[in-house]
Amino acid sequence: MTKVVVAMSGGVDSSVAAVILKQQGYDVVGMMLRLWSEPGKEDSNRCCTPDAVALARRVAARLDIPFYVVDAKEIFHSTVVNYFLEEYLQGATPNPCLICNRTIRWKFLLEHALAMGADYMATGHYVRLRSKLEQKSDREAEEKIQLLRAIDRSKDQSYVLHVLNQEQLGRALFPVGDFPKDKIRKMAEDEGLPTASRPDSQDLCFLAGEDYRKFIKRNAPESLKPGDIVKRDGRILGQHQGLSFYTIGQRKGLGLAFAQPHYVLAKQIETNRLIVGLEDELGQNELTVENVHWIAGKPPDSICRVEVKIRYSAREAWAEISQLEGGNIRVKFDQPQRDIAVGQSAVFFDGDVVLGGGRIVANDCV
Amino acid sequence: MEETIYLDYAATTPVDERVLKFMLPFLNQTFGNPSSIHLFGQRAENAIEVARETVAGVLKCRPDEIIFTSCGSESDNLALRGVCFAMREKMNKNQILTSLAEHHAVSRTAGQMAELFGFDVEWLGVDEFGMVSPQTITRGINNKTALVSVMLANNEIGTINPISEISEICHKQGVFLHTDAVQAAAYLPLDVDVLGVDLLSLGGHKFYGPKGIGVLYVRKGTPIFPIQTGGSQEFGLRAGTQNVPYIVGFAEALRLTELEREKRTNHVKPMQDRIIGSVLENIPDTKLTGHLEHRLPNHCSFAFKGVDGNLLLTLLDSAGFACSSGSACKTGNPEPSEVMNLLQLPSEWGLGSLRITLGEATTIDEVEKFLANLPMLVSKARNLK
């Protein structure tokens, strides 16, 4: 029998993923990561509180599948949390979920699953997979696995999984990506799962439900050097409390009193200056991406017109992409885009197919 | 799941078929409340008193020295709290002498007695095998000592303590001695006069009896207060309607254990020798934890260098072997147990504990299958770390 480890979180999606796989006849095993929490805040970590573990355990018992908790506290802290703080120290805006998926869930946990004799690992992510034969020559064809956006576009999570490679995708199953979210909730209710009515997760798990600024204050206070708020021409408008407290595109909380609202355009780490401007200054036509990862293992041969997502919650925008020297990618949007933040990933789509993506480096507005 | 081999008899045992049969009529036929005046009550009461005599027969004590409780942990709590509060009230003594290698039912109770109730706890040291030496008792006792509590055999590492020697010292000093015999009862004789103890805790499910039933032996003349007050059941020491079916089940299971002690020991001992020998020989960077000779005959425990014990258990379970690390922790939150900390192991060994405990249904084929798989699983766990 084909053995699948389901990475469970105590939430409805991974629970139903286990249900679907069981119905499909797999030998299903539940596993849960014990991630890092700030000392003293273990009970509020969103996805691995004792409460969430208990829920996942109950789901597993209900489905009559074995369930194990795997400790990942140290590696989570040394990779994901450190990256998160480091990016803020650099004046960038991190997306720790990407790093977690690449190094924790789809590496550390996958290795554990394979060591247990699993053939596949599944998660409750809303994405799909498709296998495609690519002609290498007249004689040879190579099988590639494509990552596709979810049927339910409003729930699509392909942005955070664009970091996966062929090897990882070859071991991956995403059973909920073929269904709309309300269907998944319905299945959970029909199965009588205790997680059926649990709200969707929103924040970063290790923030324990708090604003990230409080976390930064405690864990990277050195990033909170006050400095000048300036216009692009260098005119000083006020004082900021530390660059990591601000997000690109932010309007509220700047403490500026002008007739027209001002927005954060960029952070200048060398000078510790927060650059602000008016709404019409927010848009940018171009950006550069580094550390580009292509899901197929190489850049696409032909496509240069793609849709690009510059944040998890951003809407896709049409753009032309071109290769720079050294593998970086230059993106030229059809329409100017707001809120492009250094440190976030730009992810490229060809229709439903996720091509890949990388870290946004240049913020060209200054 | 059906092929999983159970090697965790120290955690719990299945109820013996004979015991189960013995218990069943007391669930719905002889169901009366033992405190009732009528015939239903009388029959239930009689069943309890017969059970009490049976238990007393095994412990070689008087029936009215046997108190039925809900489990071994409750027995430990009653012994510590009951005696210490009474000793302070009556004799103005407020020191507790015990060790960190004790089961949490003792060590955490003692800890709370110190934290919340003003007792002094003197924590006894143990040697590298987890054994309490009689000399440390001599050094620890003073004129304020209310109670000494030392377990008969350790649940995590199987080491048997020299209780008879310890009791001699206690009695010379006029100090009462409690022993937690919960883990020991399946294999060691429980004659309370040979052991020389004043209090002794037992739990039914460790020797093929049901869960949810325990016993505390209290030697006549030991000062003790009830910690659960109410009705006057159990000589006023443990209020609450007695759990008749479980009490008779406990007694029958203990009777059978005493009767078959030698046979059961002879069944597990050769397999224990085989496991300890094979593991130490075939897996590099492995240590036996606990004492090689003074240990329970069904108990094997090891430390593996550079292994996360919980991960190893996960791999073992997945491969069809149900074992334990010695201290049950399902949260995936790896902390070395107090006992492992006491064994003076280098830090990269502390988390890598594995406990294999054998029982009546264990076969040599199962043991060989386990031994054939373990080296590969340990090396997998080492690679993942």
Side-chain angles (χ1 to χ4, degrees):
Chain A
M1 209 149 87
T2 310
K3 189 164 173 172
V4 185
V5 161
V6 180
M8 298 179 78
S9 67
V12 63
D13 299 324
S14 55
S15 301
V16 174
V19 170
I20 295 171
L21 292 167
K22 187 129 201 256
Q23 285 167 353
Q24 291 174 347
Y26 289 103
D27 177 11
V28 181
V29 174
M31 275 179 118
M32 189 162 180
L33 285 163
R34 160 74 74 193
L35 301 176
W36 178 86
S37 301
E38 260 185 294
K41 295 200 177 275
E42 291 82 357
D43 284 350
S44 346
N45 183 314
R46 187 183 47 66
C47 50
C48 48
T49 55
D51 205 35
V53 176
L55 260 179
R57 209 183 279 289
R58 271 174 61 207
V59 169
R62 185 152 183 117
L63 300 179
D64 194 24
I65 59 173
F67 177 82
Y68 308 105
V69 178
V70 177
D71 177 68
K73 279 203 295 205
E74 253 173 62
I75 183 171
F76 186 85
H77 186 263
S78 66
T79 56
V80 180
V81 178
N82 280 349
Y83 149 84
F84 178 79
L85 295 171
E86 186 56 34
E87 284 283 74
Y88 271 117
L89 285 171
Q90 299 301 321
T93 309
N95 187 332
C97 298
L98 300 178
I99 306 300
C100 180
N101 271 302
R102 184 163 62 207
T103 62
I104 309 290
R105 198 176 277 122
W106 287 99
K107 183 160 190 293
F108 180 82
L109 187 61
L110 179 60
E111 282 168 1
H112 281 71
L114 297 178
M116 280 178 62
D119 303 287
Y120 295 99
M121 189 171 95
T123 63
H125 282 111
Y126 284 84
V127 292
R128 290 173 295 153
L129 296 175
R130 183 169 70 192
S131 161
K132 191 189 170 215
L133 280 180
E134 255 181 29
Q135 218 61 38
K136 280 179 85 179
S137 62
D138 291 350
R139 296 278 187 82
E140 268 184 296
E142 191 184 7
E143 195 194 353
K144 290 273 181 185
I145 299 165
Q146 294 182 318
L147 180 69
L148 306 186
R149 291 196 264 188
I151 291 276
D152 187 343
R153 278 284 180 98
S154 69
K155 285 287 158 193
D156 174 46
Q157 291 174 307
S158 58
Y159 180 88
V160 291
L161 293 184
H162 82 270
V163 293
L164 301 189
N165 59 31
Q166 287 294 310
E167 206 182 320
Q168 290 162 319
L169 291 176
R171 295 292 191 175
L173 296 175
F174 299 109
V176 304
D178 294 319
F179 300 95
K181 176 83 182 196
D182 50 5
K183 181 81 204 303
I184 296 297
R185 278 212 185 279
K186 179 82 178 22
M187 286 168 87
E189 275 163 30
D190 292 347
E191 284 288 320
L193 296 186
T195 51
S197 59
R198 233 177 150 234
D200 283 1
S201 48
Q202 298 290 350
D203 306 321
L204 300 178
C205 61
F206 56 90
L207 294 185
E210 280 185 339
D211 188 283
Y212 80 95
R213 293 173 181 89
K214 288 190 178 166
F215 183 84
I216 299 270
K217 214 176 206 169
R218 284 193 300 271
N219 293 281
E222 67 274 29
S223 72
L224 297 179
K225 272 186 300 196
D228 293 336
I229 301 181
V230 300
K231 298 276 281 181
R232 281 157 91 169
D233 59 16
R235 194 147 48 93
I236 297 173
L237 301 185
Q239 290 288 302
H240 69 76
Q241 307 166 43
L243 292 180
S244 52
F245 269 22
Y246 304 88
T247 312
I248 307 299
Q250 179 177 339
R251 178 168 66 92
K252 290 179 183 161
L254 295 179
L256 302 175
F258 292 99
Q260 284 175 296
H262 281 65
Y263 298 82
V264 174
L265 301 181
K267 304 174 185 183
Q268 241 175 13
I269 196 83
E270 330 59 83
T271 56
N272 193 31
R273 294 197 305 179
L274 191 68
I275 321 278
V276 301
L278 301 178
E279 192 172 7
D280 60 0
E281 296 177 81
L282 270 175
Q284 280 174 254
N285 285 312
E286 301 193 14
L287 60 81
T288 301
V289 178
E290 67 172 5
N291 299 334
V292 181
H293 169 74
W294 297 106
I295 288 175
K298 58 180 175 50
D301 303 325
S302 51
I303 306 160
C304 58
R305 294 271 311 156
V306 295
E307 286 181 282
V308 180
K309 236 179 151 169
I310 54 163
R311 239 177 308 112
Y312 180 69
S313 56
R315 185 167 295 171
E316 307 78 0
W318 281 101
E320 279 189 10
I321 55 174
S322 54
Q323 195 114 11
L324 303 175
E325 263 179 56
N328 285 2
I329 293 289
R330 187 74 180 161
V331 180
K332 287 184 186 160
F333 292 104
D334 291 4
Q335 307 285 331
Q337 299 299 307
R338 286 179 52 159
D339 308 346
I340 297 175
V342 172
Q344 293 284 293
S345 276
V347 178
F348 314 130
F349 301 90
D350 175 20
D352 267 345
V353 180
V354 187
L355 299 171
R359 181 179 181 276
I360 299 171
V361 265
N363 182 321
D364 295 340
C365 94
V366 208
Chain B
M1 282 300 289
E2 26 289 346
E3 310 99 60
T4 298
I5 293 170
Y6 188 75
L7 295 170
D8 200 12
Y9 286 85
T12 195
T13 57
V15 175
D16 187 311
E17 286 294 332
R18 296 167 291 180
V19 172
L20 181 62
K21 268 200 199 123
F22 201 85
M23 291 169 66
L24 286 175
F26 295 94
L27 286 161
N28 58 358
Q29 290 167 34
T30 312
F31 68 90
N33 185 326
S35 300
S36 298
I37 299 286
H38 47 62
L39 196 55
F40 292 90
Q42 292 170 32
R43 285 185 176 143
E45 190 196 12
N46 181 58
I48 292 181
E49 294 317 315
V50 171
R52 205 184 301 280
E53 282 168 19
T54 304
V55 175
V58 174
L59 271 57
K60 312 278 192 317
C61 66
R62 295 164 47 154
D64 59 359
E65 293 174 317
I66 298 297
I67 312 298
F68 288 109
T69 67
S70 70
C71 60
S73 288
E74 189 195 325
S75 299
D76 287 341
N77 268 268
L78 177 56
L80 264 76
R81 292 173 201 274
V83 171
C84 291
F85 281 124
M87 288 295 283
R88 182 160 74 181
E89 189 68 20
K90 294 176 177 170
M91 325 276 282
N92 195 28
K93 296 190 181 221
N94 71 340
Q95 192 225 35
I96 305 169
L97 213 56
T98 188
S99 97
L100 284 170
E102 291 294 310
H103 190 276
H104 281 158
V106 168
S107 59
R108 289 195 179 161
T109 303
Q112 196 203 45
M113 297 288 280
E115 239 171 78
L116 297 184
F117 300 108
F119 285 86
D120 290 329
V121 177
E122 175 76 23
W123 295 105
L124 298 164
V126 295
D127 65 17
E128 57 188 305
F129 308 112
M131 194 183 283
V132 175
S133 103
Q135 287 77 43
T136 64
I137 304 281
T138 311
R139 284 198 294 273
I141 286 181
N142 62 33
N143 59 5
K144 282 286 190 187
T145 306
L147 183 68
V148 176
S149 182
V150 176
M151 69 206 315
L152 184 48
N154 187 283
N155 50 308
E156 284 187 52
I157 54 173
T159 297
I160 299 168
N161 279 312
I163 292 296
S164 303
E165 288 173 58
I166 290 171
S167 68
E168 242 175 74
I169 294 165
C170 291
H171 290 158
K172 267 186 206 145
Q173 308 279 335
V175 172
F176 296 103
L177 172 66
H178 165 248
T179 193
D180 174 339
V182 172
Q183 198 66 66
Y187 293 98
L188 301 188
L190 299 172
D191 184 322
V192 290
D193 288 331
V194 173
L195 293 170
V197 294
D198 303 292
L199 304 112
L200 178 144
S201 303
L202 295 171
H205 71 110
K206 302 289 192 187
F207 46 84
Y208 306 93
K211 295 168 186 63
I213 185 73
V215 150
L216 181 66
Y217 157 77
V218 185
R219 189 180 290 274
K220 273 275 161 266
T222 309
I224 185 166
F225 288 159
I227 58 169
Q228 176 161 305
T229 48
S232 55
Q233 292 93 346
E234 300 299 309
F235 317 104
L237 277 178
R238 204 274 181 179
T241 301
Q242 287 107 332
N243 190 350
V244 183
Y246 285 60
I247 286 173
V248 300
F250 179 102
E252 181 62 4
L254 189 67
R255 187 183 74 82
L256 292 168
T257 300
E258 176 75 357
L259 199 68
E260 299 175 359
R261 196 180 301 284
E262 199 182 327
K263 186 183 121 213
R264 293 184 189 182
T265 303
N266 291 340
H267 174 65
V268 290
K269 187 77 179 76
M271 295 191 279
Q272 177 194 42
D273 293 342
R274 170 78 182 119
I275 292 173
I276 292 177
S278 166
V279 169
L280 293 180
E281 194 179 310
N282 293 319
I283 302 178
D285 288 326
T286 302
K287 286 187 168 127
L288 182 76
T289 51
H291 205 282
L292 180 59
E293 287 150 34
H294 301 290
R295 77 184 293 135
L296 293 173
N298 72 324
H299 194 297
C300 317
S301 57
F302 303 96
F304 300 107
K305 184 182 176 185
V307 168
D308 172 347
N310 280 337
L311 175 59
L312 180 59
L313 293 182
T314 300
L315 294 173
L316 277 165
D317 193 38
S318 212
F321 304 99
C323 307
S324 161
S325 62
S327 57
C329 172
K330 287 201 290 188
T331 64
N333 199 0
E335 292 288 334
S337 75
E338 281 99 338
V339 177
M340 290 298 280
N341 281 335
L342 291 172
L343 300 183
Q344 301 153 32
L345 294 167
S347 64
E348 67 268 41
W349 294 72
L351 286 173
S353 57
L354 176 68
R355 181 182 75 180
I356 305 112
T357 44
L358 315 173
E360 280 290 276
T362 310
T363 65
I364 189 68
D365 283 354
E366 291 178 335
V367 165
E368 291 304 337
K369 212 168 153 194
F370 170 77
L371 291 173
N373 279 275
L374 185 66
M376 181 255 302
L377 295 171
V378 169
S379 112
K380 261 189 188 179
R382 280 182 172 145
N383 290 336
L384 280 170
K385 188 63 183 163

